[in-house]
Amino acid sequence: MRSRRSKRPVILLLLFSLCLPLVFKGSNAHAASESDSVAVFRLYNKNSGEHFYTINEGEASYISSIGWLYEGVGWMAPKKSKSPVYRVYNPYSGDHLYTLDLPEYRYLDSIGWNGEGIAFYSDDEKTIPIYREYSPSAVTGTHNYTVDPDEDKWLTEEIGWSGEGIKLYASGPGKDSFDESISFGRWIHVTGAVLSNINRERVSAGLSPLNGNSCLLDLAFVRSKELTDDFSHLRPGLSRKTSFSDFETFGVNAWAIGENIAAGQGTIEEALTDFRSSLKNHQNLLDPDFTDIGISLWFDPVAVPKGRDKAYKYYWVMEFAALN
């Protein structure tokens, strides 16, 4: 689906920083609970791709308030153990690393990283494994930590991350209070791989690559969730507006816009194959006017869209724009 508009003045946008300097030096906060465990909060920066982990509720609250996506409690960690996990920050890339290796921590601190002390503790009883994955193509957000074996499998088997095995241990599981964020936090990893694939085709066709746009990403995220209720280019509700009517609401000023939607494809390859097999969707992928894109995948194994007879589980959205 595609639409054009007359050119208008550019709207200036205020976006949060891609790389957040550490505001709270260290993470040795006291949890509110008097149990033997504390919550490790997990947050996600949709611009830089970094997941951030902290037991400091104030730090988590502040980072969430400036635009990071709060993903709930990643896991429970012991209040104290013989296995401290150190946090170190790279001021050049804006990335954090979490490690049990004290010599590694001290070495990185000596070559320009900022040592931030003990972030939390690993469980000496090895109750629940925490998997670590590495993205060889990322500059920030190069590592992900999760107690969810399905997330580990998705990253390593479906979208090209390298599995680094079990690196830490949790004393308790995460609390699935992620709400809608669980889909975004888990599946956002696909967007970079999808964009790289699209841009390879565009460059091969002599076209300029598309830029990942955070405002279009926000719109795509909202639209992908909406598709679980109503699989249509018309947005749910009495107004039945197209998504195009809300581009400017999301801070996008464009003279040409487009949207691709799909459902049921469990892998990047399946989704891109189906998009390319559709004439109109493929035209959007290769439209020479488009400059920016936002991509989202929503995962819902239960919801059945209106007028359909089954849940498709995976709902894909691409929002395109030719910016003024």
Side-chain angles (χ1 to χ4, degrees), residues 23-238:
V23 177
F24 299 85
K25 189 69 173 178
S27 298
N28 297 314
H30 296 289
S33 172
E34 292 300 321
S35 69
D36 293 333
S37 296
V38 294
V40 178
F41 304 107
R42 173 170 146 162
L43 299 101
Y44 181 75
N45 186 325
K46 58 179 177 289
N47 281 348
S48 70
E50 180 185 9
H51 277 100
F52 184 76
Y53 310 86
T54 179
I55 62 173
N56 188 320
E57 294 181 32
E59 184 176 33
S61 177
Y62 172 75
I63 293 175
S64 176
S65 73
I66 62 171
W68 289 58
L69 186 72
Y70 173 65
E71 295 183 340
V73 176
W75 62 85
M76 301 300 291
K79 280 187 175 180
K80 194 83 172 180
S81 77
K82 297 178 182 179
S83 307
V85 179
Y86 302 95
R87 192 171 86 187
V88 60
Y89 173 71
N90 186 333
Y92 305 104
S93 68
D95 209 10
H96 290 86
L97 180 70
Y98 306 79
T99 180
L100 287 167
D101 189 339
L102 182 56
E104 178 185 37
Y105 170 78
R106 288 172 172 167
Y107 170 73
L108 292 173
D109 185 59
S110 72
I111 62 171
W113 291 56
N114 297 333
E116 296 175 354
I118 298 173
F120 44 84
Y121 290 87
S122 181
D123 183 36
D124 292 334
E125 301 300 321
K126 300 184 177 181
T127 304
I128 298 175
I130 299 174
Y131 304 92
R132 189 172 83 180
E133 305 85 21
Y134 170 73
S135 175
S137 60
V139 176
T140 58
T142 54
H143 288 93
N144 183 66
Y145 301 78
T146 181
V147 296
D148 186 347
D150 289 334
E151 181 178 13
D152 178 70
K153 182 178 179 181
W154 169 266
L155 292 172
T156 58
E157 295 184 9
E158 299 293 344
I159 62 171
W161 287 53
S162 299
E164 297 187 338
I166 298 170
K167 293 297 183 181
L168 307 170
Y169 289 91
S171 59
K175 297 181 180 179
D176 290 332
S177 58
F178 289 16
D179 300 322
E180 65 183 31
S181 304
I182 190 170
S183 178
F184 194 68
R186 179 177 296 178
W187 308 110
I188 189 62
H189 302 291
V190 306
T191 63
V194 172
L195 180 56
S196 295
N197 191 301
I198 293 171
N199 280 338
R200 282 197 297 271
E201 183 181 12
R202 287 179 64 91
V203 171
S204 296
L207 303 173
S208 298
L210 296 172
N211 302 307
N213 184 296
S214 62
C215 295
L216 289 175
L217 176 62
D218 288 340
L219 175 57
F221 173 53
V222 170
R223 289 287 295 127
S224 62
K225 181 184 178 183
E226 289 177 349
L227 294 185
T228 66
D229 178 62
D230 190 346
F231 188 76
S232 168
H233 286 293
L234 299 177
R235 301 194 66 187
L238 296 177

